[in-house]
Amino acid sequence: MSAAPRDPDYGNGPAGEPLTPPVPLAALLADRELGLRHLAGPAAAGVHGVHASEMPDPSPYLLGGELLLTAGAGPAEDPDGYAARLAGAGAAALGFGVAPVHEEVPAALAEACARHGLPLLEVPPRTPFSAVARAVGRLTAEARTRELRRTTEAQQALAAAAARPDPVPAVLARLAASLGGAVALWPGGRTAGPDLPAPAREALSALLARVGREGGPATATDRAGGHHLAAYALAGRAALGTATPARTPGDHTVASVAAVLLTLLTAERSAGAEAAALTRLLLDGDPAAALTAGPWYAVHARGTGDPQALAAALGTVLLDPHEGGVRLLTDREPGAQPGWRLGVSAPAAPDALAAADAQAGRALQRAEAARAPLARHADAGFAGLVGEAEARAHAEALLGPLAPALRETLRAWLAHHGSWDRTAAGLGVHRNTVRQRVARCAVLLGRGLDDPDVRMELWFALRRTEA
């Protein structure tokens, strides 16, 4: 089964990495040193990477957006099926090296690429495939630098707009100019940018209502009327919508920053409960009297994304970016976020935020140990006060001297509250065997097993190693 194709205008970068603009096919064709020649299929495409293969079906190994290079062995027997599989996998283009297998590109392959809408390029004998890959890498780096510069400038412009006397329309106008499209604030109908065609306008309204309702998603996207649409939930069931003819990798970051600013500017709580909570934290460390009843969730996060965008996605402005991660406080139940690994506390009242913060920290440790995008606090009692990885490491170190048979006997003896007869019956051995094994455990561990503290510690350790 082939991988899902990329969005041709946006790209699907790995989780945690900033998405990079694709390299236009025209830029490769314009490179005289490469000497590539367009033979069939569309002349325009976005290239996200280069892959070389002589397999008859390389589609299972493609993520989408690749310029696939071949010397001709792969498509030799079934040109039409080969082109169809590549197009279905979302390949950006096919580059055919005319040496050493073929002296020219087979006509049947050119016809197949034209039928399936797959751009076909001729790679001359003097051009190594590695030279094409290096050119794509260089152009990708240049595009990423340009996009990062554009995103940074847009963020600075939005911050300046938020400081103007009439900040909300100023931010909307600046966002529309930065994205090259239209934006809308819901409810209220405030807009900026060019008028949208009816299909795009109606679809954007539906998106805004979807993210603005209680329990709705934090973000949503769609396409309609030749526009890329996106909606971002703000505080108080408000929402920000964007509609752009084209979509670039930095657009989401720019719009997320605008969403955070608009949340601060429009939410009733931004100048009330949350501002009071921050003030109390600074002055006397008592946010409980200022926050609403909640429930509240403490979140610890690590990732490579924008903390402000993460806060917007989680519906909060209460965040604490610091070296090595981010701490947040939100009254929405958090979900997994692309590019981030989250640890989420149990729902907490305002006067229990310190415990919730500790829970979130331990949950993040579990998420990182399991390489999961999100872990929630679920443990109860004393066992939940120690992180899983730390507890397991301690248990293995403590019980390391004991062979499996000794561990099994010790666990059964502790479970039967030190009863020799019941332990022997449970294990199916003689009671003297139990005595000898337990005595051996005491010697190897260097602990007195009559001590209730020692028994408790060993019991927890045995339970951890079983888990």
Side-chain angles (χ1 to χ4, degrees):
M1 180 180 296
S2 63
R6 294 178 184 262
D7 178 335
D9 296 323
Y10 197 57
N12 296 331
E17 289 187 12
L19 298 177
T20 303
V23 173
L25 202 58
L28 293 174
L29 292 170
D31 190 329
R32 294 184 178 181
E33 292 187 4
L34 295 179
L36 305 180
R37 189 162 66 97
H38 176 248
L39 298 182
V47 176
H48 289 269
V50 176
H51 183 67
S53 175
E54 299 302 325
M55 299 177 64
D57 182 14
S59 60
Y61 303 95
L62 302 180
L63 294 174
E66 292 91 351
L67 168 60
L68 181 70
L69 301 176
T70 179
E77 295 185 1
D78 181 17
D80 187 77
Y82 184 84
R85 289 188 291 271
L86 291 186
L94 174 63
F96 193 98
V98 294
V101 180
H102 296 269
E103 293 184 359
E104 61 181 13
V105 179
L109 180 61
E111 294 170 0
C113 288
R115 270 194 305 275
H116 295 288
L118 179 67
L120 175 62
L121 311 181
E122 179 187 84
V123 183
R126 64 178 176 81
T127 302
F129 285 178
S130 60
V132 179
R134 287 181 181 179
V136 170
R138 173 177 54 80
L139 293 170
T140 296
E142 293 174 357
R144 173 171 289 189
T145 299
R146 288 194 300 271
E147 188 67 7
L148 288 174
R149 184 181 299 114
R150 182 188 77 89
T151 301
T152 300
E153 292 173 353
Q155 291 173 337
Q156 293 171 344
L158 286 169
R164 297 183 60 179
D166 198 1
V168 172
V171 169
L172 291 176
R174 184 64 261 171
L175 179 61
S178 297
L179 299 181
V183 300
L185 191 61
W186 182 91
R190 283 187 282 191
T191 62
D195 293 334
L196 295 175
R201 185 172 61 251
E202 293 169 2
L204 184 60
S205 296
L207 274 188
L208 289 168
R210 181 182 168 200
V211 302
R213 71 170 182 261
E214 186 174 0
T219 61
T221 59
D222 198 1
R223 290 189 188 184
H227 284 69
H228 297 265
L229 311 176
Y232 302 81
L234 308 180
R237 301 188 185 180
L240 169 68
T242 66
T244 55
R247 191 181 184 192
T248 63
D251 286 353
H252 175 69
T253 299
V254 173
S256 297
V257 171
V260 172
L261 292 172
L262 290 169
T263 294
L264 290 167
L265 294 169
T266 62
E268 294 180 1
R269 291 189 310 167
S270 64
E274 291 175 346
L278 292 173
T279 301
R280 288 181 179 272
L281 280 170
L282 291 171
L283 296 179
D284 54 24
D286 181 20
L291 293 177
T292 58
W296 292 86
Y297 297 86
V299 180
H300 283 213
R302 286 197 183 97
T304 57
D306 181 0
Q308 296 285 350
L310 175 64
L314 297 181
T316 184
V317 296
L318 296 176
L319 75 156
D320 172 28
H322 56 86
E323 185 176 356
V326 183
R327 294 192 308 169
L328 304 99
L329 188 62
T330 177
D331 59 357
R332 293 187 185 181
E333 184 171 0
Q337 300 297 324
W340 292 93
R341 190 160 281 144
L342 305 183
V344 180
S345 73
D351 59 357
L353 296 183
D357 183 60
Q359 291 173 1
R362 292 193 296 272
L364 178 59
Q365 291 178 359
R366 293 204 312 274
E368 292 183 321
R371 297 184 180 180
L374 182 145
R376 300 180 188 277
H377 174 78
D379 295 333
F382 287 107
L385 299 178
V386 182
E388 180 65 29
E390 183 181 358
R392 186 179 294 275
H394 175 74
E396 291 293 350
L398 176 62
L399 301 172
L402 303 185
L406 293 179
R407 292 191 187 190
E408 181 185 15
T409 301
L410 180 60
R411 187 197 185 287
W413 183 70
L414 291 172
H416 289 98
H417 306 288
S419 170
W420 308 109
D421 292 329
R422 283 187 292 165
T423 303
L427 294 175
V429 299
H430 195 276
R431 67 193 307 271
N432 287 341
T433 301
V434 175
R435 286 182 177 274
Q436 292 169 2
R437 289 181 180 176
V438 171
R440 182 62 176 161
C441 289
V443 171
L444 292 174
L445 295 172
R447 304 285 186 99
L449 300 186
D450 291 333
D451 188 332
D453 289 337
V454 172
R455 291 192 183 191
M456 181 182 68
E457 185 179 10
L458 290 172
W459 177 253
F460 278 120
L462 288 163
R463 292 292 303 274
R464 286 295 181 183
T465 55
E466 287 178 350

